[in-house]
Amino acid sequence: QVQLVESGGGLVQAGGSLRLSCAASGRTFSMGWFRQTPGKEREFVAAINWSGGTTYYADSVKGRFTISRDNAKNTVYLQMNSLKPEDTAVYVCAAGWVIGTTKGSYPYWGQGTQVTVSS
């Protein structure tokens, strides 16, 4: 069983930056970030494979967000730049064996961290 703990969320003004972290309790393979707002489906944001050589991004965050990982620390990061009010959501970390852009690719999930972007 893998446990995931996110951190780094908070309140930031539009145009600002935040870096989210997700620490895993054990070795993980592919990892992803999703986000959710009330009344909406959980939405894919970014994913990275074990080596870091393959990454996927949602079109809405390409060029602004960067996913990376430090396998020595069992931690994945999401650097978020040029934040917009529409990025406001609970950001949730996920882990699985195969990289993907759908929720079904990830059997393990964290609790999430709130990101609020003010205009």
Side-chain angles (χ1 to χ4, degrees):
Q1 188 77 7
V2 175
Q3 293 184 336
L4 305 172
V5 179
E6 302 95 336
S7 62
L11 173 63
V12 64
Q13 287 188 330
S17 298
L18 281 175
R19 189 176 82 152
L20 305 183
S21 300
C22 174
S25 62
R27 181 178 178 178
T28 58
F29 294 90
S30 294
M31 298 188 73
W33 286 97
F34 289 74
R35 64 188 181 186
Q36 189 158 21
T37 54
K40 290 189 176 181
E41 288 288 322
R42 190 166 288 187
E43 172 190 33
F44 169 75
V45 176
I48 189 167
N49 71 340
W50 163 250
S51 69
T54 299
T55 56
Y56 297 150
Y57 294 95
D59 287 343
S60 58
V61 307
K62 275 182 186 175
R64 300 188 299 122
F65 290 12
T66 302
I67 190 170
S68 62
R69 66 188 300 162
D70 183 340
N71 289 336
K73 297 181 180 180
N74 289 334
T75 300
V76 67
Y77 304 97
L78 186 68
Q79 178 67 44
M80 306 186 295
N81 298 329
S82 302
L83 282 161
K84 304 175 182 179
E86 51 264 43
D87 294 319
T88 295
V90 174
Y91 283 71
V92 185
C93 176
W97 295 278
V98 178
I99 189 172
T101 62
T102 63
K103 292 178 290 184
S105 299
Y106 302 97
Y108 303 110
W109 293 86
Q111 294 298 309
T113 184
Q114 176 70 45
V115 171
T116 302
V117 184
S118 63
S119 57

